[in-house]
Amino acid sequence: MMASSYNAKEEDGHHSGSVGPGGPGTGKSKKPDNTAFKQQRLPAWQPILTAGTVLPAFFAIGLIFIPIGIGLFVTSNNIREFELDYTGVEMSSPCFNCSQTYSWNNSCRCSVPFTLEQPFESNVFMYYGLSNFYQNHRRYVKSRDDSQLNGDKRFLTNPSKECEPYRMNDKMPIAPCGAIANSLFNDTLELYYVYPNGTKTAIHLVKTDIAWWTDKHVKFRNPAGNNDNLTITFQETTNPINWHKPVYELDPTEPDNNGFINEDFIVWMRTAALPTFRKLHRIIQKKDSLTPTLPPGNYTLDIAYNYPVRSFDGRKRMILSTISWMGGKNPFLGIAYITVGSVCFFLGVVLLVIHHKYGNRSSNAEIPN
Amino acid sequence: MLRRRLNRLFGGDEKRVDSRTIYVGNRPCPATETFIPPKFCDNRIVSSKYTIWNFLPKNLFEQFRRIANFYFLIIFLVQVIVDTPTSPVTSGLPLFFVITVTAIKQGYEDWLRHKADSEVNKYPVRVLEDGQPARKDSEKIKVGDIVEVVEDETFPCDLILLQSSRDDDTCFVTTASLDGESNHKTHYTVPDMEKDLQSLSATIECEQPQPDLYKFVGRMHIYKPEHDPAVRSLGPENLLLKGATLKNTKKIYGVAVYTGMETKMALNYQGKSQKRSAVEKSINAFLLVYLCILISKAVVCTTLKYVWQSQDGQDEPWYNQKTEKEKGTILYVKMFTDFLSFMVLFNFIIPVSMYVTVEMQKFLGSFFITWDRDFFDPEIEEGALVNTSDLNEELGQVEYVFTDKTGTLTQNNMEFIECCIDGFQYTAFSSELDSFCVTDGPVSTFQEKAGREKEELFLRALCLCHTVQVKEAGPDELGGDQVDGPASEPLRPAEQRGFIASSPDEVALVKGAMRYGFTFLGLESKTMKIKNWQNDVEEYELLHVLNFDPVRRRMSVIVRSKSGDTLLFCKGADSSIFPRVRPEEVERIRMHVQRSATEGYRTLCVAYKRLSVDEYAAADAGLREARLALQDREEKLMAVYNQVETAMSLIGATAVEDRLQEEAAQTMEALQGAGMKVWVLTGDKMETAKSTCYACRLFRRSTELLELTVRTLESGGRRREEMLHDLLFDFHRKAVQDAPPARAGVNRSWSSANPEYGFIVDGAALALVMNPSPDTNCSRYRSLFLQICQNCTAVLCCRMAPLQKAQIVKMVKNSKGSPITLSIGDGANDVSMILEAHVGIGVKGKEGRQAVRNSDYAIPKLKHLRKLLLAHGHLYYIRIAHLVQYFFYKNLCFILPQFLYQFFCGCSQQPLYDAAYLTMYNICFTSMPILAYSLLEQQIAIEVLLDNATLYRDIAKNAMLRWGPFLYWTVLAVFQGLIFFFGVKYLFSNPALQDNGQVFGNWSYGTIVFTVLVFTVTLKLALDTRHWTWINHFVIWGSLAFYVVFSFFWGGIIWPFLKQQRLYFVFFNMLSSVSAWLVIILLIVLSLLPDILLGVLRKPRGPHTQQKPAQSSGGHHQTSDRPLLMRTFSDESNTVM
């Protein structure tokens, strides 16, 4: 007789909450347990959003957010930032000539003078910025092989399919493969301080500590860990099509910054979120506490102009910036905090007024049983 | 004429397809020259759906027939085939999970069915082969086999009873597993069977299998070598149903007529049609909206992509060349695959997990109904039963309640109150205690009134005219007590458990007669024994029982007394008895009957007739003939019954009281307070039903009653149709046009000063309205009728046939606005309306289990309806509505940033979030809190809900799932999505966010957005939660913690076997940036601000509507001091045999 009792719930998703209609023999259930859960009587905290509870919250948010916002805003304003577009779109620009060539292998050089009005007191971070460069294009983002970059030998000679069409060149596997690596930013930026007397002195640019520590030490690894003999390690591979030099010559002077663990390369490989972006290029260490890192005055930026951007209407910038605890200069956060804090405060006031005007009625109604 | 037709049937139509011929014992019979063993199905019960071989394909096919699953399969396939931004795993994994879980569940259920099947199929039975019982598996029984069944065994197939070990050729069975009636029913062997079954040569002709348990027509031809074939009629009393159990009988032999899937039990267990809830319809509507959003998003993105690409240098800049394959693809194909890719990228807006969560919520949520101790009834030791969990939320949406009266509003627990013999009223005892004076008191009062002879006749009639059985264990005890002398106290226990009948009225009458001194001792081999005042045992031979049926509304027995008189006793409703007795007798009794009826008692008239020998012979012949008929047996029997039951003389009338169910009035009041319209649909007579309505406070003293009954229709002396027309328009003007413009329905203030209308309609009038004769051109009647009904506080439909009940429900269900209907009933006559209504509730009453079996929910008592609707229904609705809205909301604000990101990545389908986040968002990070919410939330405490019925109106008409709230949620989701995306975008205008000057990339961007998203969405739910149990705390804070832990873990190691290590230490770096922290906090606060604000401005639901119910419960108590009810003849109870 039970055989058919399951028919009742044959439909997909049609559950039966209890024993099936199998007749009284099976349906004779005992008295349900008197547990709080089964009787839906679990002890519960029953908060109700009333003006009384929310008003202090609004004021508190206002009182917390506004100072934070002011702090952020001030901090952001104190950050020195200097931006220099050296694309060379205008005829007057020193890099105009260089920008006219679209090809990769011209070692065109140009130098752009600029003046800093304010001194840069603490460490100065030099960024390069690109505009209208879609590093977040899907085809671009996925065109890499993390296994190869992690030093996996199998993928060194047989890169992932995702790297197409930058996977093989003349039947040689490309290392590092993919569009991201292939388009590595390769302008060389050199910064000179121009003394009032006209002499130039090069400012020392540190090229380490510009990439995430974990990237440099874990995510990116040269194959076999054999840093001394990178030439041999990479001998079965070829350099990306656009590169002048193979990957093991990215920084021949420093073995810890060569090959896949070259920091310029690692920084480039972290694809930017938006088509206008900046990437950390160099760091200018503060020498001593007395003189500013970059005193006000004239400077020259010497550029080995290799990176063509005119074809896609791109722009190239060099950015000098100091850094605070909140990162680079960005007034947005401060303004946003002040705005939200003020709105909360304002709402608190409005609610207070409403509460006072209509409070009697609602408090009467809210008396529970 | 009748005979001729019968003959034709007998002779000619042997081979009709609508009957089957069975050779008893599978032996050829002399009458048929060629014995072709007929092919019938074997006795295997197959309730399972799958075998091991077809499980996978069949189950998969059935699952993918669901539109949602199919959609996800398509998305998955697109991901596999086309180069899409997200890996197939992201949508394949959830789909696989859902499909697997469902398949396992269904497989398990099917395995249980297989097990149960084989238990039944392998059950050993004894089949008579060559005179010897041979053991066989149950599944091997063939039609025609003679099967032996011993006591307490269930019948393995439908059998015709051939031989019983009892002397009186009967056997007792209980059909508890079929219809839940646990009383013993008597079945009879085929009359005049010979004892030697081995030499029996017979064929049985019977109808083809049909599911009605109580109908069977057949005919048995018995061939003897020297005689003409004898013909015996077979009826349901000869048929033993598979699934029933043999009781009180040592052994029986029967011949199998229906086997396996053709048995009545198997035919009855065909699955019910599935009901869909209004919430599900809303979900589908919202899905459609979201599908449109999805498609338009994909279209916009595809268009933009090609617009963007058409600019110089954007399609294929030097740094980002296309592959050869991409270059080779035709533009239109590319556009199409791009479109598909966008679809895939945004498809998370319609989540697989919503279906899983909704199903889980319904499934798990329904346990709270079964677990509820308030639904536990100590009398029957049972709680509520949930047959389908699909309709939980519908319980919170009910607008119309259709209730049965007998057994639902009333207890169906009859007590004999008074009788009237020959115009004299006897109310000898008002309470049971008076049964002490069984012999003296009543007799003396009797003799003062009607003649002693009349009194005796009346009591004999009560003792004889019924189908009550004395319980098998009872008679000895009973007899022992009573032979000794005047009945005294020991009688009472016997009285209470001695009788079993399908209708409680009959028991009440027999017990009533017993109190007056006439005791029914039992029925043995067609002899009824009764004990009279002198303690003599009178014996009557029971010749015929003219069964009760709801159309005739009466039953009769024909008995022959010791002295040789043949008597017909008939009892029935006044309306069916009065036309059949001498008119001059009627007047004296009618008054009493009417008075009793208005008191609310069930009245019943008793008549008798002395049959002369000729009359009896004619009746006997007619009855036997009709019983033999294969075709139209019912109609033929009816005709004969009507012939016999004429020219009777009226002896008296009885009044039986049926008490109101506990808290019936309070329940009805609460339902009305909740804005539901209560309609009483009953087969009972108008006066009785009306008084029940008054007692239940459905009608009040102030209620103006509009009557559309046969009485009012015929009062004007005009044609019924004209009168109907006038009345309908008159009522319409009163109830609809003159009613204040305030919309009827839920908004109607029920305690206002407006006149209230109650509408009474009876079956005949309804038939006129529903099926107007074609010439009257009055199709408007229906809509008029409906409008009147909808504007009345309560509607009473009396004299309804079961089908008419369903008709009414259907009419309301399909009316404008398609209101949600609920039917509640306890008897077989309510099954049709229970099945018809949106929600069918069965009361575990006394009239068997059919209603419970066909219901969606079953409760022990009517009073439980209040909690079921007001508390459970309300909570379920709020929970699921919130669940649905929340799901759409959280997925819209999940996907919107991803959509916006397309504008900044060249519409290249670059996902904003990592694949793991895309997959886990719905499965792990945000699913548990909403599930816990949707199971545990109590925005308003259960007690408050029960006390304030008006709260139910707040959610009426699908209030939380209409377009307004949907729009609010959607706007909120869009607002938050915009905030998430642009907040982080402005932050990323300078991506140097760390204090060491290092920059963040696109995955950091996505992770920040995602973190804000997960926290906002979870905290939004936390804001909505008004009932924080430890589970809510655990799940909400737990899933946030889980998200953080997971993110650390996911970004913490270089994953082997994964091609991309996109998130390596992204989360960690994000947390090391103060700016990221600040922006996350800011965006969360900002996103939740509007909700907090609205939460304050919106009045808290709940305690603000306490005045009205208090006022109403104080106001109307003029009827509450009459706790008892009432009424007349059991028009509705279904008699089994």
Side-chain angles (χ1 to χ4, degrees), chain A residues 3 39 146 166 212 326 328 337, chain B residues 47 321 371 992 1061 1069 1075 1078:
Chain A
Q39 302 308 316
D146 279 337
Y166 305 98
W212 291 7
M326 59 168 282
Y337 262 90
Chain B
S47 62
Q321 304 275 315
W371 284 337
Q1061 312 291 343
N1069 270 301
S1075 296
L1078 288 174

Side-chain angles (χ1 to χ4, degrees), chain B residues 79-206:
Chain B
Q79 275 178 306
V80 170
I81 296 162
V82 183
D83 168 45
T84 54
T86 53
S87 92
V89 178
T90 51
S91 68
L93 200 68
L95 183 65
F96 179 75
F97 175 76
V98 171
I99 297 288
T100 316
V101 167
T102 318
I104 288 174
K105 193 193 110 228
Q106 293 181 344
Y108 174 71
E109 281 175 0
D110 207 56
W111 178 71
L112 286 181
R113 276 182 230 135
H114 268 289
K115 232 175 64 169
D117 281 357
S118 76
E119 202 172 287
V120 172
N121 290 337
K122 300 286 184 224
Y123 189 81
V125 295
R126 285 163 307 282
V127 174
L128 223 53
E129 272 175 3
D130 304 324
Q132 292 302 314
R135 280 191 164 269
K136 269 191 181 182
D137 284 348
S138 164
E139 61 182 350
K140 301 256 167 62
I141 295 175
K142 294 190 297 291
V143 169
D145 280 349
I146 296 176
V147 182
E148 179 191 300
V149 180
V150 298
E151 188 167 359
D152 290 333
E153 267 187 337
T154 53
F155 302 112
C157 56
D158 290 354
L159 300 170
I160 290 290
L161 180 58
L162 294 180
Q163 218 176 70
S164 162
S165 64
R166 289 174 63 96
D167 319 329
D168 53 357
D169 286 339
T170 59
C171 73
F172 291 100
V173 301
T174 156
T175 52
S177 59
L178 288 171
D179 55 11
E181 295 175 31
S182 54
N183 57 343
H184 294 186
K185 299 194 179 73
T186 320
H187 286 252
Y188 301 92
T189 57
V190 178
D192 309 325
M193 260 334 269
E194 50 241 277
K195 289 293 158 212
D196 185 13
L197 292 176
Q198 186 46 37
S199 61
L200 175 70
S201 165
T203 59
I204 292 171
E205 260 181 78
C206 58

Side-chain angles (χ1 to χ4, degrees), chain B residues 714-817:
Chain B
E714 285 175 344
S715 59
R718 284 183 293 165
R719 282 179 59 229
R720 279 186 174 199
E721 283 79 8
E722 290 170 21
M723 201 59 202
L724 176 76
H725 182 93
D726 290 355
L727 277 175
L728 271 178
F729 277 90
D730 186 34
F731 293 161
H732 186 258
R733 200 179 54 246
K734 261 194 202 164
V736 183
Q737 290 165 358
D738 292 352
R743 257 171 46 79
V746 287
N747 300 328
R748 179 180 54 85
S749 165
W750 70 304
S751 50
S752 68
N754 301 329
E756 290 178 20
Y757 292 103
F759 193 45
I760 302 176
V761 66
D762 69 358
L766 183 75
L768 274 180
V769 174
M770 303 294 274
N771 316 306
S773 43
D775 56 310
T776 44
N777 184 26
C778 46
S779 55
R780 275 197 66 203
Y781 288 179
R782 263 177 95 129
S783 68
L784 279 180
F785 175 72
L786 195 63
Q787 282 176 23
I788 298 169
C789 287
Q790 284 170 340
N791 274 23
C792 291
T793 28
V795 177
L796 166 63
C797 304
C798 40
R799 299 289 191 207
M800 291 279 138
L803 207 65
Q804 278 182 314
K805 292 186 178 183
Q807 237 180 338
I808 292 239
V809 175
K810 194 170 184 174
M811 178 183 78
V812 174
K813 197 170 97 175
N814 295 336
S815 69
K816 205 175 132 231

Side-chain angles (χ1 to χ4, degrees), chain A residues 142-277:
Chain A
K142 67 174 186 179
S143 186
R144 64 192 284 163
D145 186 344
D146 279 337
S147 304
Q148 189 193 47
L149 298 172
N150 195 30
D152 194 320
K153 277 270 186 187
R154 287 166 298 169
F155 295 94
L156 184 67
T157 48
N158 183 22
S160 157
K161 291 265 187 303
E162 303 283 354
C163 287
E164 289 288 359
Y166 305 98
R167 184 167 168 262
M168 307 289 259
N169 188 14
D170 284 339
K171 304 216 171 109
M172 288 275 276
I174 295 176
C177 74
I180 313 177
N182 182 60
S183 57
L184 175 67
F185 182 75
N186 60 354
D187 279 2
T188 315
L189 304 177
E190 282 160 4
L191 195 60
Y192 295 94
Y193 180 64
V194 184
Y195 286 103
N197 59 13
T199 52
K200 296 205 287 188
T201 170
I203 292 167
H204 179 61
L205 303 175
V206 181
K207 54 188 169 188
T208 50
D209 280 341
I210 56 173
W212 291 7
W213 190 91
T214 47
D215 280 4
K216 165 125 177 149
H217 294 93
V218 188
K219 193 176 173 184
F220 289 78
R221 261 187 235 155
N222 281 323
N226 193 349
N227 282 355
D228 302 334
N229 256 328
L230 282 181
T231 323
I232 302 165
T233 316
F234 286 105
Q235 68 181 350
E236 284 169 40
T237 63
T238 181
N239 52 310
I241 304 156
N242 289 349
W243 287 22
H244 303 291
K245 48 194 177 186
V247 64
Y248 48 86
E249 282 172 19
L250 279 174
D251 190 358
T253 56
E254 192 146 2
D256 276 346
N257 196 23
N258 203 2
F260 288 157
I261 56 172
N262 178 272
E263 292 203 24
D264 283 332
F265 174 67
I266 294 172
V267 166
W268 182 255
M269 291 304 284
R270 180 154 297 280
T271 47
L274 298 166
T276 298
F277 59 90

